[in-house]
Amino acid sequence: MTLEGTNTWLLRAPDADQVIVIDPGPLDEPHLRRIAEHGPVAQILITHRHFDHAEGAARLAELTRAPVRALDPSLVLGDEGLAEGDVVAAAGVELRVLGTPGHTSDSLCFVLEDAVLTGDTVLGRGTTVIAHPDGRLGDYLGSLRRLAELPDGLAVLPGHGPELADAGTVARQYLAHREQRLEQVRKALRELGPDASPRQVVELVYADVDQVLWPAAESSVRAQLEYLRQAG
């Protein structure tokens, strides 16, 4: 589910002393201490609430005395959370906060001059699970459309997996994949009947996917079924 693990991103301008930390990851003491060694840490930013991105934030704040900022208020440590349109200026860089719900309701991306940090909204390999019911497919498609409209040439710095070359291209590929999956689910419902269970749809649509991933696929299918039924 996390590919090689969670990517923790440390950002600073070449001449800056401080650093911004994006997604400190799970509560892994050696990892968090390695991050702290690259300080002083100006701010700790969270892309979304899942433990593999956010669990270690409070401990890193203890180690560095840096504030934790997120959309989910339960994660915030300090005076300010994060919201759509905010600009974070620290460590010689500026990040624009982009609200990108869908994977979760609190998912954010952070846009730099030459890159976008996408958390789990876009992965370095494979596709994103919609964490239903907190995540919603309609929201996610809207978020992908926003990323597709970003200027050309912005690199993707994802929450898992390798960097990608162009955010807009990747977002359009994600949109095409989602539409393909939706059509497969529509076809499955025509074959199985409109009251088919998510598990039945997974067994038909995701037959070529390793069954270890079926529970995650079932979460996405629940989101797809809700989306299709609301659309009539």
Side-chain angles (χ1 to χ4, degrees):
M1 288 295 294
T2 63
L3 303 179
E4 295 86 0
T6 301
N7 295 330
T8 295
W9 297 98
L10 278 63
L11 308 179
R12 62 156 53 102
D15 58 349
D17 295 326
Q18 294 183 313
V19 64
I20 299 173
V21 176
I22 312 291
D23 286 353
L27 188 57
D28 181 324
E29 187 72 14
H31 173 66
L32 297 173
R33 288 190 175 276
R34 285 185 63 195
I35 297 171
E37 289 171 0
H38 289 275
V41 176
Q43 299 191 39
I44 302 164
L45 310 183
I46 307 297
T47 61
H48 65 292
R49 64 173 66 92
H50 284 166
F51 80 93
D52 56 316
H53 295 257
E55 185 185 38
R59 175 57 179 152
L60 184 61
E62 289 180 358
L63 292 171
T64 64
R65 301 185 183 278
V68 178
R69 302 183 66 188
L71 181 60
D72 184 338
S74 71
L75 298 173
V76 175
L77 294 173
D79 295 333
E80 293 184 279
L82 288 172
E84 161 74 27
D86 284 350
V87 175
V88 177
V93 299
E94 284 192 355
L95 298 92
R96 177 166 58 90
V97 179
L98 195 66
T100 51
H103 171 66
T104 61
S105 60
D106 70 323
S107 289
L108 300 172
C109 290
F110 302 115
V111 182
L112 293 162
E113 183 178 348
D114 58 356
V116 54
L117 296 106
T118 56
D120 283 359
T121 299
V122 172
L123 304 179
R125 186 172 65 256
T127 56
T128 297
V129 171
I130 307 301
H132 183 80
D134 179 49
R136 299 171 64 89
L137 181 57
D139 291 342
Y140 186 60
L141 295 175
S143 294
L144 290 178
R145 294 185 188 105
R146 295 195 72 187
L147 292 176
E149 294 171 355
L150 290 175
D152 293 340
L154 292 185
V156 175
L157 307 182
H160 305 283
E163 300 175 33
L164 300 172
D166 185 80
T169 298
V170 176
R172 288 187 285 273
Q173 291 171 345
Y174 264 52
L175 283 165
H177 171 78
R178 288 291 168 181
E179 185 51 49
Q180 180 184 41
R181 281 297 191 202
L182 279 170
E183 184 52 41
Q184 290 173 329
V185 172
R186 291 186 188 100
K187 182 179 178 181
L189 291 176
R190 288 194 291 268
E191 181 175 332
L192 297 169
D195 297 323
S197 70
R199 179 68 179 197
Q200 289 175 304
V201 174
V202 167
E203 291 174 356
L204 193 61
V205 173
Y206 291 82
D208 60 339
V209 174
D210 190 329
Q211 292 188 22
V212 170
L213 299 176
W214 279 12
E218 189 169 337
S219 177
S220 285
V221 166
R222 289 181 186 277
Q224 290 166 329
L225 291 174
E226 178 188 61
Y227 176 81
L228 290 173
R229 285 166 178 160
Q230 286 181 347

